[in-house]
Amino acid sequence: MKRAHRRKRTVSLLLVTAGLLVFAAAMHLAVPAPSAAPRKGCIDCHAGMVEKMLTGNVHAPVKAKDCDACHLPHGLIGGAFLRQEVPLLCQRCHEAVMRPAVKPVTVHAPFAKGTCTSCHAAHNSTQPRLLKAAQNEGCYGCHNRGDYEKAIVHAPVKQGCATCHAPHSSGHPALLKEAADFLCLKCHQTDGQKAKAAHHGQEVRSGCLGCHNPHSTEKRGLVKATFHQPVAAGKCTACHGTQPDGRLAKVADAALCVKCHKQDAALAGKIHRPVGEGKCLECHAVHASDHRGLLAKRPTQLCLDCHKREDGGHQTQTQTHAPYRDGNCLACHAAHGKKETFGLKASGAALCASCHESAKYGGAGGHAPAAKGECRTCHQPHVADSRALLTKKEEALCLSCHKELEQQMNRFSVHRPFAGGECSRCHNPHQSGGAPKLLRERDTTTLCVGCHESLK
């Protein structure tokens, strides 16, 4: 019985399978064969757009009309979706540029961030190498044009920045294609009488950028604005010794500067670190400079080599102190040091008074911190998330001293400015001639009608 039942079940399965195969074959015959015509491409719908992209210098995939090389086919949501984000997409073809064989010393900021399209157009351009703008004009989008267009302009600058600089990365400082002196000597001969006369009888074959600006200056010969006094006087041996062949020897004496520039003994232990360590050349140029005080760089750049910005360089805070924002560190700080904390040029209140009129911010009857000259009790010196460079939000700052008012804020009926923590709507935070104490310079009636016009 069992064997007969199994045989019957097997036959049934075979019949069902056969039926399904017949049905599938019938369906296959009923459905027409797919068309041999290719699917529509981007050009079929965007012919006009493609034609515009085929003018000037054209990106290779665009020239081949191969949109799919960079873009995904459109989905239900319209948009030219890239296959990968930039710079990974660019790297698929430009591997040699994106991954140089030799580890670079300097990398161009947009290249380091992977923002290829900040300099290059994605499809076509009127400029070589798909640049968005003529070479120098594109560079001036980030680099201050005024530094490159002074009275005397170096010939390579007129020819284009890429004459001397690599656009992406380099094995030399400042993105130079070759070592600075080697680049200079490719065009400038230094063994002639004219060149020697200009260099006080010396044949100079190195350190060109110590005295010359490589881009533009206001003086002939592309010399820098300010010269070290011995250099200007041609007294090279005041600092340098001489070698047997008459050439100048390198300076080895680290204490050479203090032979002329005496240190203030009263500043001992309270001076700027490089000064205390005798490392004058961390901040100063040896021969010449385009900046006051023979600084090696702009004060902004120089200070930030060691002292990182508190705002991370993005200045996202609500308030930034003007000298700090403008990079004018020396407006408040002494370059070498002072007895005061943090190398400030003067004590807190006196320093603030050099810009902020002290008569308005202190004195008898004024707010206690202002009267005592304790500006930093309430204000930050560089950046702050609160208005007026306050160390905290106004409400929290005032209540940190006036704790007795905190309970009043929880009452059922509270004056709107007080409830909102806007103490300075009615009170002067520094000094006022009004009454009661710290009231703004209006009597009570005048102050109230400023908001409550119905009382007039």
Side-chain angles (χ1 to χ4, degrees):
M1 289 292 292
K2 287 184 179 180
R3 185 176 298 173
H5 179 74
R6 286 176 187 164
R7 188 181 300 116
K8 188 181 293 184
R9 187 171 61 180
T10 302
V11 171
S12 299
L13 288 171
L14 288 171
L15 289 173
V16 170
T17 303
L20 288 172
L21 288 172
V22 171
F23 177 78
M27 290 298 294
H28 179 72
L29 292 172
V31 176
S35 173
R39 66 178 177 83
K40 279 190 175 183
C42 302
I43 300 172
D44 295 316
C45 295
H46 304 288
M49 184 184 298
V50 173
E51 286 303 314
K52 290 180 181 179
M53 292 179 182
L54 291 174
T55 60
N57 292 297
V58 184
H59 198 189
V62 179
K63 185 179 290 187
K65 298 182 180 180
D66 183 13
C67 306
D68 287 354
C70 299
H71 295 281
L72 291 168
H74 296 189
L76 294 175
I77 302 173
F81 301 110
L82 294 175
R83 289 192 173 276
Q84 285 179 288
E85 292 296 324
V86 175
L88 293 176
L89 180 66
C90 304
Q91 187 175 318
R92 295 170 67 182
C93 295
H94 304 283
E95 179 73 19
V97 175
M98 304 298 287
R99 296 181 182 274
V102 180
K103 185 177 180 180
V105 173
T106 49
V107 181
H108 197 194
F111 183 66
K113 295 175 183 175
T115 54
C116 307
T117 53
S118 59
C119 298
H120 298 280
H123 299 111
N124 66 321
S125 170
T126 58
Q127 303 299 323
R129 299 184 181 277
L130 291 175
L131 290 173
K132 286 185 172 180
Q135 190 180 123
N136 284 16
E137 290 301 315
C139 298
Y140 295 151
C142 295
H143 301 277
N144 181 20
R145 180 188 295 270
D147 291 339
Y148 306 89
E149 296 185 348
K150 295 177 182 177
I152 310 297
V153 181
H154 197 193
V157 175
K158 295 178 181 179
Q159 295 165 7
C161 306
T163 304
C164 297
H165 297 279
H168 300 116
S169 62
S170 169
H172 303 281
L175 288 171
L176 290 174
K177 290 183 173 179
E178 298 175 278
D181 290 331
F182 184 79
L183 275 174
C184 297
L185 294 174
K186 287 176 72 173
C187 297
H188 302 280
Q189 303 301 318
T190 62
D191 55 356
Q193 291 302 316
K194 186 177 180 180
K196 286 184 178 181
H199 293 94
H200 308 295
Q202 297 290 329
E203 182 184 343
V204 179
R205 297 188 60 80
S206 63
C208 306
L209 301 186
C211 295
H212 299 276
N213 187 304
H215 301 119
S216 71
T217 67
E218 301 295 341
K219 297 183 178 182
R220 291 182 60 189
L222 287 169
V223 294
K224 294 184 177 181
T226 306
F227 275 81
H228 194 193
Q229 192 277 329
V231 177
K235 297 179 179 179
C236 304
T237 54
C239 300
H240 293 274
T242 55
Q243 300 183 61
D245 60 1
R247 291 185 301 163
L248 297 175
K250 291 184 177 179
V251 177
D253 188 0
L256 183 64
C257 300
V258 297
K259 290 181 179 178
C260 296
H261 305 281
K262 304 299 181 185
Q263 288 190 21
D264 185 350
L267 298 180
K270 300 177 181 178
I271 55 180
H272 197 194
R273 180 196 56 76
V275 180
E277 296 176 0
K279 296 180 179 178
C280 308
L281 301 187
E282 280 195 9
C283 300
H284 295 281
V286 181
H287 297 121
S289 172
D290 281 324
H291 312 291
R292 61 191 177 90
L294 278 177
L295 291 176
K297 301 178 184 178
R298 285 190 179 91
T300 317
Q301 296 172 286
L302 193 61
C303 298
L304 293 180
D305 282 348
C306 296
H307 306 282
K308 303 303 179 186
R309 287 192 67 96
E310 292 179 16
D311 54 14
H314 302 295
Q315 298 187 12
T316 54
Q317 280 75 2
T318 305
Q319 293 290 316
T320 308
H321 197 194
Y324 185 77
R325 179 195 64 221
D326 299 337
N328 187 14
C329 308
L330 301 184
C332 300
H333 297 276
H336 292 139
K338 287 284 184 181
K339 295 178 182 179
E340 287 75 19
T341 308
F342 303 118
L344 294 174
K345 288 184 173 180
S347 60
L351 181 64
C352 298
S354 62
C355 294
H356 304 281
E357 191 178 343
S358 58
K360 296 181 179 179
Y361 297 96
H367 193 196
K372 296 175 182 177
E374 297 172 348
C375 308
R376 292 196 61 184
T377 299
C378 300
H379 299 281
Q380 294 280 18
H382 297 132
V383 294
D385 289 317
S386 303
R387 67 177 190 82
L389 290 170
L390 293 177
T391 57
K392 303 176 183 177
K393 297 291 184 183
E394 187 174 307
E395 176 184 339
L397 183 62
C398 295
L399 291 177
S400 64
C401 291
H402 303 283
K403 299 184 183 297
E404 71 282 0
L405 298 176
E406 193 166 2
Q407 291 183 347
Q408 294 183 26
M409 297 190 78
N410 296 322
R411 292 181 178 177
F412 178 75
S413 179
V414 183
H415 193 199
R416 184 176 296 173
F418 179 57
E422 300 175 279
C423 308
S424 58
R425 286 273 297 276
C426 299
H427 297 277
N428 187 311
H430 298 110
Q431 182 171 342
S432 173
K437 187 178 181 180
L438 294 180
L439 193 65
R440 288 197 173 278
E441 295 177 357
R442 292 175 284 184
D443 59 41
T444 307
T445 305
T446 308
L447 181 65
C448 297
V449 298
C451 295
H452 304 281
E453 294 185 2
S454 60
L455 298 177
K456 291 182 179 179

